[in-house]
Amino acid sequence: MWQQLKLGLKVLKLVFESSPKWASFYFATNAASSITPAATLYLGKLTIDAIILAIRTPTPAHIQMIIILAIVSFSAEGVNSLFGNLAMHGYDVMKDLFSKYAMQKVINHAADLDLSYFEDPKFHDQLEKVQREINFRPVVAMQNVVELSSSIVGLFSLLFILTRLSWWAPLAILIFSLPRLIFRLKFSYWTFSITDSRSPFQRTINQLVWLLTYKDPAKEIKTFNLKDYLVGKFNEVNNKFISENRKLSAKQNTYSFFLDLFGSIVYYFVALFAAFRAIARAISIGDLTMFTGTIRQFQNVLQGVFSYMARFYESNLFLNRYFEFVDMKPRITNVAQPKFLDNAKPLTVEFQNVVFGYDEGKLILKNVNFKIADARNFALVGENGAGKTTLVKLLLRLYDATSGQILINGINIKDIDLANLHQNIGVIFQDFQTYDMSA
């Protein structure tokens, strides 16, 4: 729970970073709409008591009180509806702003990370999980945080009414509702575990869909009659997903049935206690109506709180990936006071005892030494896999050499400002990109 609280605060920080004005509006209107139901219940109690009093002694003052209470109740309903609709408007605006902000952080951060990250399969697993969830998870987490906060505010307003019936009534409802919270948290973890383990299989499905539906592979799929084989693979992986979902659904609905039954027993037990109090004339009929309504409302809001907690927990299991991703640090960065190349000078490039390997213990370059000075044209020729592209990546400082140093105009490449370095080197890779936009 402590972990959930810390993650909740991180989500709140993100929400307010995305738009302080709209976040405040969304929070305030939600909180206001959560308090009004308690006021409505109390007004209902006053109205019923006033009606019973007017039946016994129909004086003008009693009739007038009923009319006043009806007007106030109508106004309270209007205020409740107003705040509810304002809260929905706040959510509609915030979900777009927050979704954009969360996605923007991912794409900005991904663009800043070193090339070495993108050549690590584990990183691709993590990035795929973040990309899969980024369009809706942060928004769901935001909604759960706000709704949870508002529900707790509403819960305390109902608690104030319910303690007037008995100190143990809200406590009994709370204790007997805890099994539902435990189940919801467990169910959220089951859902996360299944979904999290699917990442490699989901990439397989995406690859199969691409092979079967896109133009580039179409000629090979047709020529080699691969359709039936690939569709078979697609069905095999999806059938596994469907089987897992069916089992999870059966487990969820079985538990939910018994927990709903358990909740109903608690409601009728406390409601009967209120009824006997009314029979004993310890409380009025208006009080009885208010308490029975409050018991149900308290139970519903409490279940809502637990539901939001469980959904927030589920979202946080995914959001952990998001925060881990945006907390990754680039390994190749500028020094505190970087140097800049003089554009007027021709570049002199020197490699001094450069050693490099992508994987530990597997060196591509071993003690490479050469110097290029004042050359108009220079060709680097070698067999496939000799390390030509690797050498260019080191020159661009997409990677840092394992040992040795690279000098440009006598300056160590690690001391040169990265943006300035890239401005001075134009490169076309053999696997260059095309961009679907104008020059």
Side-chain angles (χ1 to χ4, degrees):
M1 296 306 293
W2 175 242
Q3 184 70 12
Q4 299 316 300
L5 178 61
K6 287 196 294 183
L7 279 167
L9 292 173
K10 288 179 87 169
V11 171
L12 282 177
K13 183 172 178 286
L14 272 182
V15 171
F16 277 92
E17 281 176 1
S18 63
S19 175
K21 180 179 75 174
W22 279 104
S24 301
F25 177 83
Y26 181 33
F27 267 77
T29 51
N30 255 285
S33 66
S34 68
I35 295 172
T36 46
T40 304
L41 285 165
Y42 186 67
L43 285 167
K45 165 244 181 327
L46 294 177
T47 304
I48 289 170
D49 284 344
I51 290 168
I52 291 170
L53 189 61
I55 290 169
R56 288 175 184 163
T57 52
T59 64
H62 290 156
I63 302 298
Q64 186 181 17
M65 178 56 70
I66 292 170
I67 294 168
I68 291 169
L69 284 168
I71 293 169
V72 173
S73 297
F74 171 76
S75 302
E77 289 283 347
V79 169
N80 187 36
S81 177
L82 173 66
F83 280 125
N85 283 284
L86 287 173
M88 281 302 299
H89 176 60
Y91 169 73
D92 288 338
V93 175
M94 269 307 303
K95 75 174 195 285
D96 292 334
L97 292 171
F98 188 55
S99 182
K100 179 194 129 184
Y101 182 73
M103 177 65 84
Q104 187 179 311
K105 280 183 78 73
V106 169
I107 58 179
N108 273 335
H109 197 65
D112 288 337
L113 290 175
D114 308 326
L115 188 61
S116 59
Y117 279 107
F118 291 90
E119 293 177 347
D120 181 356
K122 290 180 181 177
F123 172 79
H124 275 286
D125 270 348
Q126 187 163 1
L127 181 58
E128 188 271 331
K129 288 169 185 173
V130 171
Q131 287 174 321
R132 186 183 63 219
E133 306 292 334
I134 193 65
N135 287 325
F136 73 98
R137 278 294 167 192
V139 170
V140 170
M142 175 194 76
Q143 186 181 20
N144 288 335
V145 167
V146 177
E147 297 289 350
L148 178 60
S149 306
S150 302
S151 296
I152 290 170
V153 171
L155 202 63
F156 276 105
S157 64
L158 293 166
L159 185 67
F160 177 74
I161 294 174
L162 204 52
T163 48
R164 292 182 58 195
L165 172 64
S166 171
W167 64 268
W168 57 261
L171 189 63
I173 295 170
L174 175 64
I175 290 169
F176 284 97
S177 298
L178 286 176
R180 182 179 290 273
L181 172 63
I182 293 164
F183 166 69
R184 284 188 175 277
L185 292 174
K186 278 186 173 293
F187 181 77
S188 296
Y189 183 73
W190 294 334
T191 305
F192 167 76
S193 299
I194 289 173
T195 310
D196 191 54
S197 64
R198 286 179 177 174
S199 285
F201 301 105
Q202 190 62 53
R203 284 209 306 281
T204 301
I205 288 176
N206 294 340
Q207 170 73 355
L208 291 167
V209 169
W210 180 80
L211 287 169
L212 288 161
T213 58
Y214 275 69
K215 180 185 75 173
D216 293 343
K219 53 185 179 292
E220 286 189 9
I221 303 302
K222 291 179 183 298
T223 305
F224 299 132
N225 295 318
L226 293 173
K227 185 197 84 171
D228 291 342
Y229 174 76
L230 295 175
V231 170
K233 280 285 188 188
F234 174 84
N235 288 332
E236 181 186 323
V237 178
N238 271 287
N239 287 342
K240 185 174 183 290
F241 288 180
I242 291 166
S243 175
E244 287 174 347
N245 287 341
R246 189 186 299 130
K247 288 176 186 174
L248 193 63
S249 175
K251 189 183 286 189
Q252 178 195 16
N253 288 294
T254 303
Y255 276 95
S256 292
F257 170 74
F258 288 106
L259 289 168
D260 288 342
L261 204 61
F262 203 48
S264 295
I265 292 169
V266 177
Y267 167 76
Y268 284 107
F269 176 77
V270 181
L272 276 172
F273 173 74
F276 286 126
R277 294 271 290 163
I279 291 167
R281 303 201 175 189
I283 58 173
S284 68
I285 298 298
D287 284 329
L288 175 63
T289 308
M290 178 182 69
F291 287 136
T292 51
T294 303
I295 293 161
R296 180 62 80 192
Q297 188 83 359
F298 185 81
Q299 209 171 26
N300 289 340
V301 174
L302 190 62
Q303 296 304 336
V305 167
F306 290 164
S307 177
Y308 291 129
M309 285 171 72
R311 277 186 278 174
F312 184 59
Y313 169 65
E314 184 181 332
S315 294
N316 280 346
L317 290 168
F318 290 100
L319 283 172
N320 259 325
R321 306 281 186 192
Y322 173 83
F323 288 120
E324 283 172 9
F325 181 81
V326 295
D327 287 341
M328 286 180 178
K329 302 297 181 189
R331 302 182 188 108
I332 297 174
T333 55
N334 280 329
V335 293
Q337 294 182 319
K339 296 177 182 178
F340 293 81
L341 296 171
D342 184 352
N343 292 338
K345 289 183 180 179
L347 295 183
T348 298
V349 177
E350 186 174 1
F351 275 54
Q352 295 181 348
N353 294 318
V354 171
V355 175
F356 177 76
Y358 293 102
D359 299 316
E360 195 173 338
K362 295 180 181 179
L363 298 180
I364 304 296
L365 303 175
K366 301 176 185 177
N367 299 319
V368 175
N369 290 276
F370 66 85
K371 184 175 183 179
I372 307 169
D374 300 327
R376 288 181 179 273
N377 297 287
F378 181 87
L380 182 68
V381 181
E383 295 178 352
N384 288 345
K388 303 182 299 297
T389 302
T390 299
L391 191 143
V392 174
K393 287 177 181 177
L394 291 175
L395 184 60
L396 289 161
R397 209 184 166 212
L398 297 176
Y399 291 90
D400 276 333
T402 307
S403 64
Q405 58 180 355
I406 302 168
L407 306 175
I408 299 182
N409 291 355
I411 306 170
N412 190 315
I413 199 170
K414 293 181 179 179
D415 296 328
I416 299 171
D417 179 79
L418 277 168
N420 178 250
L421 173 67
H422 296 154
Q423 284 168 358
N424 279 277
I425 302 176
V427 60
I428 298 176
F429 293 104
Q430 59 190 59
D431 55 346
F432 62 86
Q433 297 299 307
T434 55
Y435 300 86
D436 189 16
M437 56 188 74
S438 68

